[in-house]
Structure formats: C-alpha cells, structure tokens
Amino acid sequence: MEFSQFNVNTLMDITSRPDLVFVSGKGSWLEDHAGKRYLDFVQGWAVNTLGHSAPEMQRALIEQSQKLMNPSPAFYNIPSIELAQRLTGASCFDRVFFANSGGEANEGAIKLARKWGQVKKNGAYKIITMNHGFHGRTLATMSASGKPGWDKMFAPQVEGFPKAELNDLESVKKLIDDKTVAIMLEPVQGEGGVIPATREFMQGLRKLADENQLLLIVDEVQTGMGRTGKMFAYQHSDVTPDIMTLAKGIGGGVPLAALLARQDACVFSHGDQGGTYNGNPLTTAVGVAVFDALAAPGFMDAVNARAKQLSEGLLALSAKYGMKGERGQGLLRALIMDRDDGPAIVEAARNQNPQGLLLNAPRPNLLRFMPALNVTAEEIDLMLTQLDALIAQVRKA
Ligand SMILES: *Cc1c(COP(=O)(O)O)cnc(C)c1O
C-alpha cells in the first residue's frame, strides 16, 4: 500500500510525522504500511516494557475481555485489587489510585498534595518542581513542568509551582516558605535529556522535606516499572518518598497509570478524586501481567546486563567519534554528542534500508535509548553496529 492512499488529513495536525503508517509489531520490531521493518529503540516512548504485542499482554487482554471490561469505578473489580497489592508490596507505598495517563496521575498527585496542605498544613499549596522537568500536558502538569517556553504557551499558568535546579539542594531550600507543601521531581529527567538526580540530592530532598513538613513526590512515569534496573528508580537512592506516580511502562502499551501514596498522605475525601475509566479491569489485568513478567526471577538481572552492554557500547562510540560520553540509568540512556546532529541521525536511521532503526533525539545533541526491557543482546549489538555506520554516514555528508 502507498502512503498517499491514507487520508491523514482527518487527524488533527499536532506534530510533524514521517510518511509512515505502522501496522504491526512484535518484540523489538515494527512493520510499516509498505512491509519495511524497523528495530525499535523508542518503544512507544518507553511504554512497551515487554516489546510490541507481548504474548503475556495478549493473553491478559483476551482472558479479561471475555470476563469483564468495565463494571464502573463505583464498584470493586479483581484485577485492580490484585495490581494494587503487587504495587504496594513492591514499594514503600500503602495505597493506589489508578488513572489512564501520566499527566492524569500527576494531576492526582498535585491535588493530593494540595489537599494534604489544606488538612495538615494550614492551606499550604506550593509545590517546588525542577527546571527542565516534565510532568505532562494538562494545564497543571504543564505548569509543574520546567520546559522552556511552556510558561507562556497557554497563559495564564496554574500558579504555585516555583522552579528549582535539579541536583542543586540550595536552589530548593531557597524556595521553601510557609506556603510550600511538597517537592516534586523525576528521579531521572527523561524529556529533559536523561539526567539522573544524584543520590545525595534525593537524600537531601528527603531531609529538607522532613525538616519543613513537606511531601516528597517522585514522578516515575518514565523511570518506574524496571526501566532503570530496579522496579522503581527511587530505590537506587534509598529514600522513602511520600507519593509516586507511574504510567508508561506500567501498562506495557495500554493506557494505564497509577498514583501511589503512603498512608499519612492518603487524605482524599469521597468525591475529591475519580474518573470513568480509572482502575478498569481490562487495563489493570494487563498491568498485572506486565508486573508479573518484571517480577519473574532473573528478569531484572537481564535488564541490568543489557543496560551494561548498551552503556559500554555507547561509551565506545563516544570515544570513537570524540563525543561527550553517555549517561542514564538501566535501559533509559543517552549518548551525549559533540554537535547537534541528533535529528539528522534519527532521520537517517529511520530511512535506512532494507531495515530501519527508530531512535529519539530529545535535544539536538542527544540521542535517547529506551528499548523494550526484554530487548536481546543481539538486538543491542545490531543497534550499536547500525548507529556506528549512521554516525559515520551523517558526518561524512
Ligand atoms: C511521559 C511523561 C509524563 C506524561 O505522561 P502521559 O501519559 O503522556 O500523560 C509525565 N511525566 C513524565 C516523567 C513522563 O515521562
């Protein structure tokens, strides 16, 4: 089939997309309308934990769809109870509220913190967030994000999100006043360029929060569910946050998100929070299947082995081309280049034949890698070999 046969003009034009329509996927591979295959190191934006159309997820979808898809959020259902038990069992949190997207889960976290401020801290409502942070595309989460230019885009912003600098404790301390209720950050800034918060910073934030009666909120929408080599990224720094949000990887590709909190922070009254699709058995059943795959013996060891292989391979490429190294945690990594040819490499990778390669450049001098967590050693080697050739090709042109 030709691309021109698709009428894409009935879709709202919200981003520039290549002339490709994807029709199927399996594991680390995608196939387009013309039958061309692509090795996928983007995976739906770090969403497809187990790769495309994972058999575990298919099974969960088929079985659950034959039983029950949506009894309404006003009633309990089995998969949501099972998934909440697994998530609280694997973390420091006591209770879960399920949502459908990262933005929605973060809205919930913001509401929960503001409610906590009303109930426990004299109406405090300000949440300190980080410059270059990313928390979603709703009005409040755009205001919480620290993306340059976003403060003016849909003005006026939702107020109450003063910005500090990641890994600069003093910059956080300076912003605290009696109206401050929480500190919110990504343990690894994803869209901001794969920048990990240091262990010292995370521990310093916990201490600041304790000293000033603040909640510590971790946005693990991108870093949660094994992406960084532990089930949750906060576990790398031995801190105990009060609130955490999950999305992306938790559904393995279906829309599922979660807001988790420790008991002391569970202050919603009836009617404060809800949503028609929230906690539906169809997507939470998939969440259970994804969780069980991640928790299986040896799975996380394999993630860490692949992460080491990817990290070493990227370092070698960096050395070969005089770049500035690599960084990241687990299978969320970035190659830091010495010039702004990220977009050119991404395009050349997609266009190469006979098989394309899907990469992402969140910044012009940065390539980001977020493969499926069950990516094979051979697939990582193949990607590294192809990337080597692509860098050489783009720099020769
Ligand atoms: C992707 C992302 C979000 C937004 O999630 P959506 O599901 O797109 O709403 C929020 N926070 C972080 C850290 C993310 O990476």
Side-chain angles (χ1 to χ4, degrees), residues 47-48 57 61 100 247-248 250-257 282-284 286-287:
V47 163
N48 304 319
M57 295 173 60
L61 279 167
N100 309 290
K248 296 204 166 87
I250 190 178
V254 305
L256 179 62
L282 190 66
T283 56
T284 50
V286 175

Side-chain angles (χ1 to χ4, degrees), residues 45 47 100-106 133-138 141 145 184 186-191 219-223 245 247-248 256-257 368:
W45 243 251
V47 163
N100 309 290
S101 72
E104 189 193 0
N106 283 335
F134 179 78
H135 299 295
R137 291 180 174 276
T138 64
T141 57
S145 299
M184 176 170 178
E186 302 155 84
V188 181
Q189 282 191 347
E191 305 307 302
D219 174 350
E220 295 231 22
V221 167
Q222 190 157 150
T223 55
T245 54
K248 296 204 166 87
L256 179 62
R368 179 169 50 166

Side-chain angles (χ1 to χ4, degrees), residues 292-314:
D292 287 348
L294 298 187
F299 189 94
M300 218 56 87
D301 295 335
V303 170
N304 285 303
R306 295 292 87 76
K308 183 162 178 284
Q309 180 192 357
L310 178 58
S311 166
E312 288 171 357
L314 293 175

Side-chain angles (χ1 to χ4, degrees), residues 6 23 53 79 89 157 184-185 214 265 297 300 320 337 352 382:
F6 295 100
V23 292
S53 291
Q157 282 200 301
M184 176 170 178
L185 81 162
L214 310 175
M300 218 56 87
K320 177 170 176 181
M337 297 187 294
Q352 73 175 4
L382 181 60

Side-chain angles (χ1 to χ4, degrees), residues 13 48 58 61 94 109 194 196 201 333 352 355 379:
D13 189 23
N48 304 319
Q58 293 181 29
L61 279 167
D94 300 305
V194 191
F201 186 62
R333 312 210 71 87
Q352 73 175 4
Q355 288 174 342
E379 286 160 348

Side-chain angles (χ1 to χ4, degrees), residues 137-190:
R137 291 180 174 276
T138 64
L139 273 178
T141 57
M142 281 186 83
S143 304
S145 299
K147 269 187 112 133
W150 274 24
D151 50 337
K152 307 257 160 42
M153 207 185 278
F154 300 104
Q157 282 200 301
V158 177
E159 71 147 324
F161 297 100
K163 300 289 181 305
E165 297 299 326
L166 185 74
N167 293 330
D168 179 350
L169 206 56
E170 207 51 44
S171 75
V172 180
K173 202 182 280 181
K174 268 199 306 229
L175 293 175
I176 296 173
D177 62 28
D178 60 358
K179 290 284 175 230
T180 310
V181 74
I183 304 164
M184 176 170 178
L185 81 162
E186 302 155 84
V188 181
Q189 282 191 347

